[in-house]
Amino acid sequence: MPAHASRCLRCVTPALLLLVVGAGAAPAQSITGHVAGVRGNRAAQLVVYLTGPAAEGAAPEAAEITQRQKTFIPHLLPITVGTAVAFANEDSILHNLHAYEGRRTLFNRAQPAFSAPLRHTFTRPGAVLLLCDVHPEMEAYVVVAPTRWFSVVARDGTFSLRDVGPGSYSLVVWDERRRAAAIEQQVLVRPGGPTTVEVRLPASQS
Ligand SMILES: [Cu+2]
């Protein structure tokens, strides 16, 4: 390589690097929020998630639902599209996994005692109801969010969504009581500032 070309590269590269880093790294931040007027078990029936720009390069993390003492644990499992969920049976009795998308059966599989965990990858956004046909009291929900930002609302009514880039999003509150979204509102995440959200459910649903 000629000497002048090498000198030129040396001086240009750091400047280019700065430019690239500066352009791509708008600082991600947390959204912290509160659902007004709900606490305890009522708060724990709510899942919040964002819709909006696709989650670039976000690999879904593994998730699990365990059947223990005739209970699905956790009762509400929010995940992102593409997540493989392992379903384990820790009881010494037969269970089955009957999953519904609306009224349609998504899958229905027996799970004898001491069998290996069953796995299912959830490929569509929406809520999936999980029942065990052997034990009618068993019930759980997998809430499949279209982005990687989701959370169950804590029992004090608060929630937090981490590592959200600047932009405009819709924040959806999904309600187990309705088996549907209860409310959706716009959230603007600005670079640099904390983002706080106050959500108020329609009066008939709080
Ligand atoms: Cu069962």
Side-chain angles (χ1 to χ4, degrees):
M1 184 182 290
H4 69 274
S6 167
R7 262 201 313 278
C8 189
L9 265 182
R10 270 203 303 274
C11 66
V12 162
T13 305
L16 201 67
L17 207 70
L18 271 177
L19 206 75
V20 170
V21 168
Q29 54 173 292
S30 292
I31 296 175
T32 55
H34 178 245
V35 184
V38 299
R39 300 184 77 80
N41 290 342
R42 180 66 185 116
Q45 291 180 311
L46 305 173
V47 168
V48 294
Y49 60 83
L50 298 183
T51 68
E56 291 172 16
E61 293 179 9
E64 185 173 310
I65 289 184
T66 301
Q67 296 163 95
R68 187 184 302 144
Q69 297 181 329
K70 298 184 190 176
T71 306
F72 288 116
I73 302 169
H75 176 69
L76 278 187
L77 178 70
I79 57 171
T80 189
V81 167
T83 301
V85 178
F87 297 91
N89 177 6
E90 293 188 355
D91 289 337
S92 56
I93 53 174
L94 169 76
H95 290 299
N96 90 317
L97 292 167
H98 198 160
Y100 293 87
E101 269 180 335
R103 294 185 176 182
R104 189 181 78 88
T105 291
L106 180 62
F107 60 90
N108 184 6
R109 299 165 72 182
Q111 189 161 44
F114 310 116
S115 56
L118 299 173
R119 287 175 204 284
H120 181 84
T121 300
F122 291 81
T123 56
R124 282 186 292 274
V128 173
L129 167 66
L130 199 63
L131 298 177
C132 169
D133 295 324
V134 187
H135 306 106
E137 69 273 31
M138 293 179 68
E139 183 183 288
Y141 295 87
V142 179
V143 180
V144 187
T147 66
R148 65 188 161 106
W149 299 290
F150 51 79
S151 179
V152 178
V153 173
R155 298 178 71 82
D156 63 358
T158 61
F159 61 86
S160 170
L161 304 168
R162 286 189 288 181
D163 294 330
V164 184
S168 180
Y169 303 87
S170 272
L171 182 140
V172 176
V173 180
W174 181 89
D175 183 0
E176 176 183 346
R177 206 184 264 182
R178 293 165 50 90
R179 295 185 177 177
I183 194 166
E184 185 168 343
Q185 70 184 55
Q186 296 304 302
V187 177
L188 181 62
V189 177
R190 298 177 194 278
T195 304
T196 57
V197 181
E198 181 82 358
V199 181
R200 194 167 292 278
L201 295 180
S204 58
Q205 295 163 27
S206 53

